[in-house]
Amino acid sequence: MCSGMYLGEIVRQILLDLTKRGFLFRGQISEALKTRGIFETKFLSQIESDRLALLQVRAILQQLGLDSTCDDSIIVKEVCGTVSRRAAQICGAGMAAVVDKIRENRSLEHLDITVGVDGTLYKLHPHFSRIFHQTVKDLAPKCDVNFLLSEDGSGKGAALITAVGCRQRELDAQQQ
């Protein structure tokens, strides 16, 4: 539950819970807040933008039919940041485990590796990639990972990765 497909819904569920507890929207649960999928992941990226003032956060919430106060906007911004940070750290932890395992399997003291990355969340979210990179760096300190943004889509990216992997295997076999 860390991909862009789920983050908006996770935020909506948290906002719903906080509203039921009386911490948000004066405890009034709107029909909009009950609507699955109403809080799209793009709203997280917009709300977490460093350029966005609280009045603009409030405008986004009102656009969603959520009557909010300035305090509500602060809480919503914090929820969005927490959910996004969690997602980036989960992805980073998985990547760190993979690259560190590659390093161990190759019996290397240090690994330099390039990883292809694709996805709207990685490309468009204002903080996701930075948190993701930092998590990989923190959890796999013996690996220098260069992230290469793929613009071709997942299918072409997967084919390219497979081709590169096969070619590398051939080169390794020739050297032995």
Side-chain angles (χ1 to χ4, degrees):
M1 295 294 222
C2 61
S3 75
M5 187 161 87
Y6 299 105
L7 298 188
E9 183 60 19
I10 291 170
V11 167
R12 185 189 72 83
Q13 291 287 339
I14 293 169
L15 298 182
L16 188 60
D17 184 63
L18 290 173
T19 303
K20 285 178 184 175
R21 295 173 187 229
F23 296 120
L24 276 176
F25 311 124
R26 297 173 205 84
Q28 303 299 313
I29 299 173
S30 68
E31 284 305 311
L33 197 54
K34 293 178 190 175
T35 307
R36 184 176 183 83
I38 191 80
F39 201 97
E40 297 174 33
T41 299
K42 71 178 181 180
F43 297 129
L44 265 83
S45 294
Q46 291 171 355
I47 288 171
E48 286 191 75
S49 171
D50 294 331
R51 301 180 316 268
L52 204 63
L54 289 179
L55 283 176
Q56 292 167 305
V57 172
R58 199 167 172 196
I60 290 170
L61 295 174
Q62 287 173 339
Q63 182 184 341
L64 293 170
L66 302 170
D67 184 29
S68 63
T69 65
C70 222
D71 287 343
D72 291 336
S73 298
I74 292 168
I75 293 170
V76 169
K77 195 168 174 104
E78 185 64 31
V79 168
C80 289
T82 301
V83 169
S84 297
R85 188 171 40 259
R86 168 196 168 270
Q89 289 173 332
I90 289 171
C91 290
M95 179 59 63
V98 169
V99 296
D100 203 45
K101 188 65 176 166
I102 291 170
R103 182 191 62 76
E104 285 178 12
N105 287 348
R106 294 182 181 174
S107 302
L108 298 172
E109 189 63 35
H110 190 83
L111 174 69
D112 287 312
I113 192 165
T114 298
V115 176
V117 184
D118 189 19
T120 306
L121 190 61
Y122 183 87
K123 291 180 203 175
L124 300 180
H125 189 279
H127 308 293
F128 188 92
S129 62
R130 178 183 50 77
I131 296 167
F132 174 70
H133 294 169
Q134 188 60 51
T135 301
V136 172
K137 191 175 190 174
D138 291 345
L139 297 178
K142 296 180 179 180
C143 301
D144 281 328
V145 183
N146 178 38
F147 293 96
L148 185 61
L149 186 59
S150 168
E151 298 288 349
D152 294 338
S154 340
K156 290 180 183 176
L160 176 63
I161 290 168
T162 302
V164 169
C166 289
R167 180 69 181 137
Q168 185 62 46
R169 224 181 270 140
E170 289 172 10
L171 290 173
D172 289 347
Q174 289 173 359
Q175 290 175 352
Q176 292 176 353

